[in-house]
Structures are given as structure tokens and as C-alpha cells.
Amino acid sequence: MIDDSDLGYNIYTLDEFKFDYGNILHDVEVEYTTSGTPIYDDEGNIINAVILCYMYNGNYSSVIDFHQLIGPDSPLSELNFFYISISSLGHPNSCSPSTTNLKYDFPSYSIKNRVDFKRKFLVEKFNITNVLGIFGVGSGGYEAYTWACEYPDEMEFLIITSSSFKTNGHRYIASRVIDSIIDSSDAYYDDLYSESLSKIMVTINRLIYSQHFSKKIFQNLTKFEIDALMDDFVDEGLFMDIYDLKYGNDAILNFDVEDKLSNIKAKTLVVSSSEDIYFSPEFDVYPLKGIIENLEIFIFDDNDFVFYNDYSVFVDVFKEFLNEFKK
């Protein structure tokens, strides 16, 4: 059973974690928090766990962004889910290039490694081998797709928003540009983290910000508003250093589960915006039809989908989809 002390910010240490190509790290830290109350079956297994997976710069604390959905006063609180929010492999305060101080010597990892990192944590900490559901947004959707493709019997539902099943086209180009910007700096291999690396991170985060909102939203913002929002985005992104971003970008560059999508057994809801710049319904949502068997799609009009962290517009859609999973 879970003590009250578990229901907040925590660090759990795995004895070891094995990466692709056989690399192993020991005493691997996992940063996490929980929300809600676990429900147990007669054998003591948690049956209402929902895993939250976030965008590239999200960590365990990103659960706060979902307060419209999972807060105690939210319309979805009656679902009685036990949410587990985990900082992914490669993110600061979980095992990452920066927190291990391995920097450019950190083992290369894939999106599947990120999934296996969370799966190993769930087994060791909570004795969870099967979750009720997974909610992925942005690159967190990459984890959700991978989890469902590689381990299709381990969840009952998926909700994926503003994401895709592979890195291709303009996303691939953007990631290659980020990689080129980093490789252009001789300071990347210096022992000390220099000011020039911080300036590169500012440039990269501005590039990422250019894909953050829809075409209509950017068009309707004044230059002053764009600058202010960009500065906030850049400041938030600086908590991740250049090594964390480099390894995460490498994993994204190689992400592709298109040929495994038919493995998915979970009931799946995919949500997108009609004017999304980075993930489009045309290329990232509609091709799923006929491949994922139990699939629902909802495309928001851009006027409704205001900001990525405004999930209040999803409440009715999610509530209808999730009603059968209420505990």
C-alpha cells in the first residue's frame, strides 16, 4: 500500500537501468509525484493508475498544468484515477546527462528507453505491471504511442494530444537544425558549462517556440505579446541544459513506430487542432484510421484550442471517452 508520504514530490532510486546497446547505469534516480488515491483489487494491485507523459520540457511538476482535468474540484475528479507523473529519462532531476554529470558521455537512449525507464520504476516502486491508461501530450505522446505499440497488453486506454507516431518532414528538419546548432559549438565538449552554451540554448528554445502555437494564434498576437511569451518560454526552457536537450533531440530524431501502430489494443483517443503548426490532423491523425482498431479522433477548431496548457476545453471530450473507465 502507499503511505501519505508518497502523495507528493519524491525521488526514487533504481538499482540500475539498462540502455540500448547494453550500457548500464547504477543508482538511477527517478523524479515523480502522484495525485489522487490508489484503488486496489483483492490481490493488492493498483487498478486505477494513469500515467502522464509531457512535452519535451515537461517534468513531474507539469501535473500542475493539468489542474483543469485532474484537480480535486475538476469535472473529471469523479473518475477516481490515481495519476502518476514522472520526469522522463533524460530530464533534469530524473537520470539525465546533467544530473549524473556525465554530460556528453551519457549513454544514448531511445523513446523506448524512456518507456522502459517508467515501466521499471512502476514495477519497483508501486508493483504496477499494468496501468489503466496513459495520457501523452507532444513528445509525451511519442512515449504513449511507443508504450502501446511495444507493450499493447499493459494499458486499457490512451489519450494522445498534439503529437505524432513518427518524426518526419518539417519535424525532422527542425530536429536536424537543433542538432546542427549544437554541433557547431566547440564549447559542447568543454569541462565547464560556458556562457556560449547558454546562448545556444536561448537560440534553440526560440526555434522551438516558433512551433509552439498555431498559425492563427501567432497571427493574432502583437510583436510585443510574441516577445513576452517567447521570453517566458525561453526562461522556462533553460532549466534543461544543452546536454539534456541534445540527447532528447537525438531520441526524437530516430522516433518512428508507424509500422507497429496495428499492435495497439487500447481504446484510443487522439486529439489535435485544425491549425497546429507542428502536428497536423492531415499527416499525424487521419492516417491512424483503419490502423488502430479502437480509435476515436477529435479535431478542435483553432478558436477553441487557445493554449497548449489550457486543457479546460478538453473536459467534455475526455469525460465522454473516459466514462467507462470510472473506478
Side-chain angles (χ1 to χ4, degrees), residues 17-30:
F17 182 75
K18 186 174 182 179
F19 292 74
D20 291 337
Y21 312 115
N23 294 299
I24 298 176
L25 290 183
H26 298 277
D27 299 324
V28 174
E29 292 190 339
V30 186

Side-chain angles (χ1 to χ4, degrees), residues 144-163:
Y145 275 122
T146 300
W147 205 325
C149 288
E150 298 288 348
Y151 310 103
D153 296 315
E154 293 188 0
M155 75 290 299
E156 295 183 34
F157 73 79
L158 294 174
I159 296 179
I160 298 174
T161 71
S162 301
S163 191

Side-chain angles (χ1 to χ4, degrees), residues 253-321:
L253 270 170
N254 296 312
F255 170 67
D256 187 346
V257 293
E258 184 174 19
D259 62 345
K260 298 181 179 180
L261 289 171
S262 60
N263 293 347
I264 296 176
K265 297 179 181 179
K267 182 177 180 180
T268 302
L269 172 64
V270 177
V271 179
S272 186
S273 166
S274 60
E275 293 290 328
D276 197 311
I277 295 176
Y278 205 62
F279 302 107
S280 72
E282 180 182 3
F283 299 114
D284 302 307
V285 180
Y286 293 136
L288 299 170
K289 293 181 177 179
I291 300 177
I292 299 178
E293 183 174 350
N294 196 358
L295 173 68
E296 295 182 20
I297 291 172
F298 195 94
I299 307 299
F300 280 90
D301 180 78
D302 185 64
N303 293 325
D304 297 325
F305 194 68
V306 182
F307 293 107
Y308 279 177
N309 64 352
D310 180 12
Y311 295 100
S312 61
V313 296
F314 295 149
V315 169
D316 291 339
V317 175
F318 286 2
K319 191 171 184 179
E320 181 178 352
F321 175 81

